[in-house]
Amino acid sequence: MTTSPEATAVEGVDGDVLAGIYTTAVKIKLYDEKYRATMRAGKIGGMYYSPRGQEIIPSAISAVLAPEDYVLTIYRGVHDQIAKGVPLRTLTAEFFGRASGSCKGKGGPMHITDPSSGLIVTTGVVGSGMPIGVGVALSAHLRKSGQVTVVNFGDGASNIGAFHEALNLASVWNLPVVFVCQNNRYAEYTTLADGTSVERIADRGAAYSMRSIHVDGNDPEAMYGAARTAIDAARAGDGPTLVEAMTYRFFGHVMGDGMEYMPEEELRAAMEADPVVRMREKLLAAGHRSEAELTRVEDGLRAEIEDAFEYAMSQPMAEPEELTTDVYAEGAIR
Amino acid sequence: MTVQSDVRDAQAPAAREMMLIQAINEALDVALGLDDTVFQLGEDIQDPKGGGFGLHKGLSTKYGLERVRPTPISEQAIMGAAVGAAITGMRPVAEIMLMNFLSVCGDQLINHAAKLRYMSGGQTNVPLTVRTTTGAGGGFGAQHSDMLEASLVHTPGLKVVVPSTPADAKGLLLSSIFDDDPVVFVEMHHLYFAAKGPVPEGDHRVPLGQARIARPGSDVTLISWGKQVHDCLAVAENLAADGIDAEVLDVRSLVPLDLDAILGSVGRTGRAVIVHEAVRRNGFGAELAATISEDLFGQLHAPVRRVAAANTPVPYASSLEAAYLPSRPGIEKTVRDLFG
């Protein structure tokens, strides 16, 4: 088993596959822009963790995953949720705490669950999803369902104990799970170098005899290749993979943070190399799609997003009677 | 089979005398046999050792290592794996070797197992059973002996069960495994090898949330769970010799709690003493005392009293450990004071 190979761009990825990845990525980008604009306009408050800059990673993964496969994510997870196919209307309603939200307004943005699309857990606790992802993969293995589980987390999560326990157990049990570290170089307000003892988190896979891939997560072809390798291996019974997908977060830990700890030049360079904009240019240059075709796709997505926000805004808040349901199978218990 | 035994079978399910540890083993065997989605995971549970106490003996041989699944010493991974499996169609029974180690995987238990049903708006549920053992009095010191049930009860979403007899251990464990919510099932290891009792054969279930009158009485209600139920029964015999007729109520499950049985009993006797092994401060006894006082204030002949462990870590020296634990003489004196 090779440790931490550099995944390179896969030559000749099908143009329709690339166009599909772009469609997902631009949907995430437009959704995020709408969300931040709505916040700036003072129409919604609360916590929001922008995934801007990280769109390509889940978009490429979803091009490989089957609808019945499982995805887990964390509080910065709206890109993963959209890519897995959580319906925009109910997702947005949940973000706004509405009764018709994915989780009846009880979970909120940090706790999205939507089993029908396979988005099985979103956790607000850094690193907690990895042990649960091992269990989801174990369940698929025991049920012989053939489902693959993808667990997303950030670079900061690779420093908590649960990361190490989860990778060890997944390796010991040879489970169909892919650990995707979306390395955006910041753990809340702390840089990668200040909090992480290795340059490459993918190197940590070696400690668990695990297939590991280090990849430019902003390169759609490379990311698609990494996803294909990891997910195909899981599906074939060849066990878990650790994928470290390099990316960059365009905004601070949470909306409204001053971002003083993110060097201006670094940030400017990352934004100038916007992976979604770059991908659009490449699709056009390669002749996979025309300007008119892409504009039509983008206009359609804008309309879908507008509809989702209008729907969510018009929905009633969760009723107080709902407070005590769903605590137990029986509701609440004194 | 003789005609006589047929008659006996028709009246009551056949029962065998066994220790509590055997009753747990039998419950696990029945559950694994009944339902393919049930599986076990935990440290060292495989044969030939069959767990630290040998509690799982025979199960991995009978059901295989896929379903009786040994794990590394990784409590976070064990609990997380159990949670993930539970929300996707399985009924895992996870053993956390000792109750103190629940703290090691507290995030998975408290932030995830307890809350995923609620946070998902009821779309997922967590039919997980966490078995764990504990108990002071064995010289294991402060990190292997704690009763932590109060902190579990304080987390909405968890159910908490503490059996006191072999029959209840089997019946409550089977109910826990087939319950759709996460249950923490607390086994007090001093009871593992204590007196045998009759345990019904087969799929014997005791519903969660039904207290048991272990001894009927009319003058005072002793409320307890786990090992201390037996202390209360012994004290009740001493009191009876002096004309004090104590009722002993075995709560069995703290969540769900059979408040009707508790208030009904104390309503009849007018006096309540709560006895538990956990430390007194913020113990579950405080919750019960407050509830009884709120609901039955006008009917009480005396203040509700608590007998519990000292507010210290569990000490090592046997002299200190004995002083730490609630004692039979201590319980008896507390009850007699109510009649002074």
Side-chain angles (χ1 to χ4, degrees):
Chain A
M1 190 177 293
T2 332
T3 298
S4 195
E6 186 88 38
T8 50
V10 179
E11 290 304 320
V13 177
D14 184 84
D16 287 341
V17 169
L18 288 175
I21 294 172
Y22 175 73
T23 301
T24 309
V26 77
K27 185 177 185 179
I28 295 163
K29 173 177 176 286
L30 294 172
Y31 186 90
D32 174 79
E33 286 170 355
K34 173 72 182 175
Y35 205 100
R36 285 183 291 110
T38 310
M39 281 187 103
R40 275 198 308 276
K43 291 180 184 165
I44 46 169
M47 305 291 274
Y48 181 68
Y49 303 89
S50 171
R52 198 62 192 85
Q54 303 182 200
E55 294 92 337
I56 300 296
I57 298 167
S59 303
I61 289 170
S62 71
V64 183
L65 281 183
E68 59 273 18
D69 289 331
Y70 291 114
V71 168
L72 292 86
T73 188
I74 60 160
Y75 57 86
R76 190 184 311 284
V78 68
H79 55 325
D80 297 322
Q81 291 145 7
I82 291 173
K84 191 65 179 85
V86 180
L88 290 193
R89 277 188 162 199
T90 49
L91 178 66
T92 311
E94 185 63 28
F95 271 69
F96 297 174
R98 309 299 163 125
S100 55
S102 312
C103 308
K104 302 185 194 167
K106 292 180 176 180
M110 290 202 268
H111 309 296
I112 300 291
T113 287
D114 188 55
S116 58
S117 60
L119 198 295
I120 194 69
V121 169
T122 302
T123 170
V125 185
V126 169
S128 293
M130 286 176 275
I132 300 175
V134 168
V136 172
L138 171 62
S139 160
H141 164 77
L142 289 169
R143 290 183 285 111
K144 299 179 171 50
S145 69
Q147 292 160 292
V148 170
T149 300
V150 171
V151 192
N152 295 285
F153 52 95
D155 42 295
S158 77
N159 295 323
I160 87 160
F163 168 91
H164 301 277
E165 291 197 17
L167 263 66
N168 182 60
L169 195 58
S171 187
V172 167
W173 287 349
N174 198 44
L175 293 174
V177 56
V178 181
F179 299 99
V180 179
C181 175
Q182 301 188 19
N183 185 344
N184 67 16
R185 301 168 194 273
Y186 290 91
E188 297 192 7
Y189 309 102
T190 299
T191 65
L192 181 65
D194 283 348
T196 303
S197 62
V198 288
E199 262 182 55
R200 286 185 170 199
I201 288 164
D203 289 346
R204 289 183 167 165
Y208 307 102
S209 309
M210 190 177 294
R211 183 185 311 100
S212 307
I213 300 172
H214 183 266
V215 60
D216 178 356
N218 289 353
D219 177 337
E221 278 129 324
M223 191 60 223
Y224 179 79
R228 188 93 255 173
T229 302
I231 293 165
D232 287 353
R235 191 100 59 205
D238 289 340
T241 303
L242 171 62
V243 176
E244 181 186 18
M246 301 308 296
T247 186
Y248 195 84
R249 172 187 98 184
F250 285 7
F251 296 96
H253 167 55
V254 66
M255 296 315 295
D257 104 42
M259 300 168 70
E260 306 86 352
Y261 53 94
M262 297 171 78
E264 265 180 53
E265 272 181 34
E266 176 189 280
L267 186 59
R268 193 180 315 116
M271 285 180 150
E272 279 169 6
D274 188 326
V276 184
V277 174
R278 260 195 302 161
M279 189 176 187
R280 189 180 200 279
E281 289 161 1
K282 282 179 83 173
L283 277 179
L284 292 173
H288 293 312
R289 291 293 184 274
S290 69
E291 176 72 41
E293 285 170 325
L294 290 185
T295 304
R296 194 157 55 240
V297 166
E298 290 153 4
D299 287 347
L301 292 170
R302 275 195 198 89
E304 187 188 346
I305 290 163
E306 284 299 325
D307 165 76
F309 274 72
E310 277 171 29
Y311 168 84
M313 281 293 186
S314 72
Q315 295 297 297
M317 295 298 288
E319 291 291 335
E321 292 75 50
E322 277 291 325
L323 174 68
T324 52
T325 63
D326 303 320
V327 184
Y328 298 93
E330 302 87 354
I333 292 177
R334 177 169 171 178
Chain B
M1 194 177 279
T2 65
V3 173
Q4 249 183 335
S5 67
D6 278 343
V7 170
R8 186 199 63 201
D9 284 348
Q11 287 164 343
R16 282 181 298 132
E17 292 281 324
M18 64 177 76
M19 294 184 291
L20 190 140
I21 190 168
Q22 296 167 300
I24 301 273
N25 179 286
E26 193 161 292
L28 294 170
D29 190 355
V30 168
L32 286 161
L34 275 177
D35 187 336
D36 286 344
T37 68
V38 174
F39 73 101
Q40 290 184 69
L41 67 171
E43 295 159 13
D44 306 321
I45 62 176
Q46 75 277 26
D47 289 332
K49 179 74 175 155
F53 292 94
L55 183 147
H56 299 81
K57 216 160 234 174
L59 296 175
S60 69
T61 301
K62 185 171 177 182
Y63 295 99
L65 293 173
E66 285 281 277
R67 298 189 64 206
V68 180
R69 181 171 276 265
T71 67
I73 300 171
S74 297
E75 280 81 11
Q76 293 186 69
I78 294 167
M79 191 67 81
V83 170
I87 59 173
T88 51
M90 303 298 288
R91 289 193 179 275
V93 184
E95 179 176 277
I96 297 297
M97 192 180 279
L98 286 160
M99 195 173 202
N100 284 84
F101 307 163
L102 287 178
S103 316
V104 178
C105 50
D107 172 48
Q108 292 295 331
L109 182 65
I110 291 162
N111 289 324
H112 295 87
K115 298 186 168 96
L116 282 171
R117 168 190 277 279
Y118 194 77
M119 295 194 305
S120 72
Q123 293 180 96
T124 56
N125 63 324
V126 189
L128 157 66
T129 304
V130 180
R131 290 183 40 256
T132 191
T133 188
T134 192
F140 292 120
Q143 295 179 344
H144 284 61
S145 311
D146 276 344
M147 279 296 287
L148 300 169
E149 71 271 28
S151 61
L152 301 171
V153 170
H154 200 61
T155 301
L158 297 178
K159 291 177 176 172
V160 183
V161 176
V162 192
S164 71
T165 68
D168 272 7
K170 180 176 178 183
L172 292 167
L173 181 54
L174 275 162
S175 291
S176 299
I177 292 170
F178 292 105
D179 193 276
D180 283 338
D181 293 313
V183 180
V184 181
F185 192 87
V186 184
E187 299 158 14
M188 300 182 76
H189 56 68
H190 286 89
L191 297 177
Y192 277 162
F193 304 101
K196 290 183 176 181
V199 175
E201 299 272 17
D203 185 10
H204 164 64
R205 299 201 195 179
V206 173
L208 306 186
Q210 286 186 12
R212 174 179 72 97
I213 296 176
R215 181 192 191 283
S218 54
D219 298 331
V220 57
T221 304
L222 305 185
I223 303 166
S224 193
W225 49 94
K227 178 168 163 257
Q228 277 66 40
V229 170
H230 302 282
D231 292 333
C232 290
L233 286 168
V235 167
E237 291 310 311
N238 284 353
L239 293 167
D242 290 337
I244 298 175
D245 188 17
E247 179 148 302
V248 177
L249 202 62
D250 179 357
V251 171
R252 285 173 160 167
S253 66
L254 279 54
V255 181
L257 180 66
D258 191 348
L259 211 47
D260 290 344
I262 293 167
L263 296 175
S265 175
V266 180
R268 277 186 279 107
T269 63
R271 296 177 183 86
V273 176
I274 303 143
V275 183
H276 61 60
E277 178 163 325
V279 299
R280 177 185 171 94
R281 185 166 63 218
N282 272 31
F284 192 61
E287 167 70 17
L288 287 180
T291 304
I292 293 167
S293 300
E294 281 172 355
D295 285 31
L296 297 176
F297 184 71
Q299 300 167 61
L300 291 172
H301 306 316
V304 180
R305 297 290 303 272
R306 290 173 286 157
V307 185
N311 293 328
T312 68
V314 180
Y316 168 67
S318 55
S319 55
L320 297 177
E321 200 175 24
Y324 165 87
L325 280 166
S327 68
R328 291 180 182 185
I331 300 166
E332 190 170 326
K333 180 176 184 315
T334 302
V335 177
R336 287 184 188 280
D337 285 351
L338 296 182
F339 294 89

